[in-house]
């Protein structure tokens, strides 16, 4: 199956960093985590498939077994979605039918101040932690006799995690462009394992989150790059509930992200569900709203490379 003609191209991190003068964030812990992903996790993406296939009595039973294992491996959420051309990056091809989408929440205690050293490290830590979950889940599926492919939470994926997660019932798309989960809020990351193993799929949900975002503008007000929109963008198409999507101005967001500890301000300032998701139940002394370190935003950048569509929001007010 090939990506749809209107699918976006894969995000080119190197090209975007080049457009803002290169990588300027140097954190030893982050470098160590990236080294681990490339040298410890990447070689484990592939594995042998058991020639003896486990046969389940139904796709529902198979899905239940896979989800049970995902939770045992450390997932905080897991769901199944059928892959469509619009879920695949442009000019990419996948042979599998189903995506097992896995989510793991980030530690709220590391977002007490944003952007910060702690929040930057946490953004990478969760990628490694979640990467271990999807790699081990893939090993489990192969042990059952079904081939599969690891779609790591950071890296050159063929499929788009967010639309698949929406179809798998993870929540709704927030104003800031990230999914808001009914229990985890927006502070989590996604990875996937794709396979032809017959699985029962999950369904999208309507938890009132989109309606909440229409009236709440917390992420919009606290975005130092002024990259989050006031209005939905008809040009961006509709989400699974029929709402036009909110579309972040990547040309303003990325320069700030690239220079200030991967920013992430829009996630911890989200106030969905009275921030029940942000309470720390492991004994750490935390607050429910972070200290936000506002810095002067860099000049927007719009590199001349294949990239997804984004609106140029309020450019006249910030340039």
């Amino acid at each position: 199956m090939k990506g749809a003609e209107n699918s976006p191209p894969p995000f080119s991190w190197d090209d975007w960093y080049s457009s803002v003068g290169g990588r300027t964030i140097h954190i030893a812990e982050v470098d160590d985590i990236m080294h681990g992903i490339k040298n410890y996790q990447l070689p484990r993406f592939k594995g042998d498939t058991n020639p003896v296939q486990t046969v389940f009595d139904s796709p529902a039973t198979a899905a239940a077994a896979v989800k049970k294992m995902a939770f045992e491996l450390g997932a905080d959420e897991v769901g199944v979605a059928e892959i469509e051309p619009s879920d695949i990056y442009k000019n990419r091809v996948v042979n599998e039918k189903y995506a097992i989408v896995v989510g793991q929440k980030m530690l709220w205690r590391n977002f007490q101040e944003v952007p910060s050293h702690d929040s930057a490290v946490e953004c990478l830590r969760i990628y490694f932690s979640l990467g271990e979950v999807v790699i081990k889940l893939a090993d489990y599926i192969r042990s059952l006799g079904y081939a599969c492919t690891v779609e790591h939470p950071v890296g050159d994926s063929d499929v788009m995690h967010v639309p698949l997660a929406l179809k798998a019932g993870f929540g709704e798309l927030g104003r800031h462009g990230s999914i808001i989960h009914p229990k985890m809020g927006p502070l989590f990351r996604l990875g996937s394992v794709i396979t032809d193993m017959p699985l029962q799929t999950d369904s999208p949900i309507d938890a009132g989150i989109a309606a909440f975002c229409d009236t709440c503008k917390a992420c919009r007000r606290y975005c130092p790059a002024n990259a989050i929109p006031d209005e939905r963008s008809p040009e961006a198409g509709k989400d699974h509930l029929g709402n036009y999507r909110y579309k972040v101005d990547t040309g303003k967001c990325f320069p700030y992200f690239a220079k200030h500890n991967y920013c992430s301000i829009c996630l911890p300032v989200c106030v969905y569900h009275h921030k029940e998701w942000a309470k720390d139940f492991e004994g750490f002394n935390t607050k429910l709203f972070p200290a936000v370190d506002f810095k002067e935003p860099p000049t927007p950048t719009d590199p001349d490379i294949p990239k997804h569509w984004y609106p140029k929001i309020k450019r006249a007010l910030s340039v």
Side-chain angles (χ1 to χ4, degrees):
M1 190 189 320
K2 189 175 181 180
E5 282 302 311
N6 60 348
S7 292
F11 192 87
S12 175
W13 289 100
D14 289 340
D15 287 338
W16 276 91
Y17 273 113
S18 177
S19 74
V20 295
R23 296 174 184 265
T24 56
I25 303 172
H26 301 289
I27 301 174
E29 296 99 314
V30 167
D31 293 341
D32 288 344
I33 295 169
M34 286 302 299
H35 183 271
I37 291 172
K38 292 178 180 177
N39 295 281
Y40 175 66
Q41 291 189 331
L42 182 59
R44 295 160 55 217
F45 280 14
K46 297 180 180 180
D48 296 329
T49 302
N50 189 344
V52 180
Q53 199 168 78
T54 300
V55 179
F56 293 88
D57 60 16
S58 70
T61 302
V66 168
K67 290 179 181 180
K68 181 175 182 293
M69 177 55 67
F71 283 122
E72 289 177 0
L73 291 171
D76 291 308
E77 184 62 283
V78 58
V80 180
E82 186 170 340
I83 302 170
E84 300 173 275
S86 59
D87 302 319
I88 305 169
Y89 283 111
K90 190 171 185 177
N91 298 326
R92 296 295 179 88
V93 175
V94 302
N95 299 313
E96 296 83 356
K97 183 177 181 179
Y98 300 104
I100 303 159
V101 189
V102 179
Q104 197 173 52
K105 60 186 177 183
M106 292 187 278
L107 297 175
W108 169 252
R109 69 191 71 135
N110 292 330
F111 289 87
Q112 297 296 282
E113 179 182 348
V114 284
S116 68
H117 171 278
D118 288 349
S119 66
V121 173
E122 180 63 10
C123 287
L124 270 295
R125 182 203 68 82
I126 195 66
Y127 286 137
F128 184 90
S129 177
L130 183 54
E132 285 296 294
V133 175
V134 294
I135 289 169
K136 292 175 181 177
L137 183 61
D139 287 340
Y140 170 69
I141 292 169
R142 294 186 189 111
S143 76
L144 298 175
Y146 299 91
C148 62
T149 300
V150 170
E151 297 283 354
H152 197 277
V154 63
D156 190 20
S157 295
D158 290 323
V159 298
M160 291 175 264
H161 301 304
V162 169
L164 288 168
L166 290 171
K167 290 196 293 184
F170 271 59
E172 299 172 43
L173 203 58
R175 182 186 292 271
H176 43 44
S178 295
I179 296 177
I180 300 178
H181 186 280
K183 293 182 180 178
M184 293 191 293
L187 210 62
F188 67 96
R189 286 291 184 258
L190 296 166
S192 304
V193 177
I194 58 176
T195 182
D196 273 332
M197 179 182 185
L199 297 167
Q200 182 182 62
T201 58
D202 294 291
S203 301
I205 64 170
D206 182 352
I209 298 171
F212 179 92
C213 284
D214 283 338
T215 57
C216 175
K217 293 186 179 181
C219 63
R220 164 75 188 87
R221 291 173 179 139
Y222 280 90
C223 176
N226 201 21
I228 296 175
D230 286 313
E231 308 295 340
R232 295 180 178 272
S233 297
E235 304 94 330
K238 294 184 178 181
D239 63 18
H240 65 288
L241 298 175
N243 302 306
Y244 290 119
R245 294 182 179 91
Y246 287 109
K247 199 73 171 178
V248 171
D249 186 338
T250 307
K252 295 173 72 174
C253 171
F254 187 81
Y256 200 95
F257 167 96
K259 293 183 180 297
H260 300 302
N261 288 321
Y262 315 122
C263 190
S264 303
I265 289 171
C266 59
L267 302 182
V269 300
C270 175
V271 297
Y272 174 71
H273 209 265
H274 305 289
K275 301 202 77 159
E276 292 297 316
W277 50 270
K279 292 183 179 178
D280 197 301
F281 296 102
E282 297 179 355
F284 288 83
N285 183 23
T286 61
K287 53 194 176 185
L288 291 186
F289 202 86
V292 180
D293 183 11
F294 288 97
K295 297 182 184 299
E296 189 68 24
T299 301
T301 180
D302 299 293
D304 186 20
I305 58 173
K307 55 185 179 290
H308 68 272
W309 175 87
Y310 56 85
K312 297 182 178 180
I313 301 170
K314 296 183 172 63
R315 291 295 183 94
L317 300 180
S318 59
V319 180

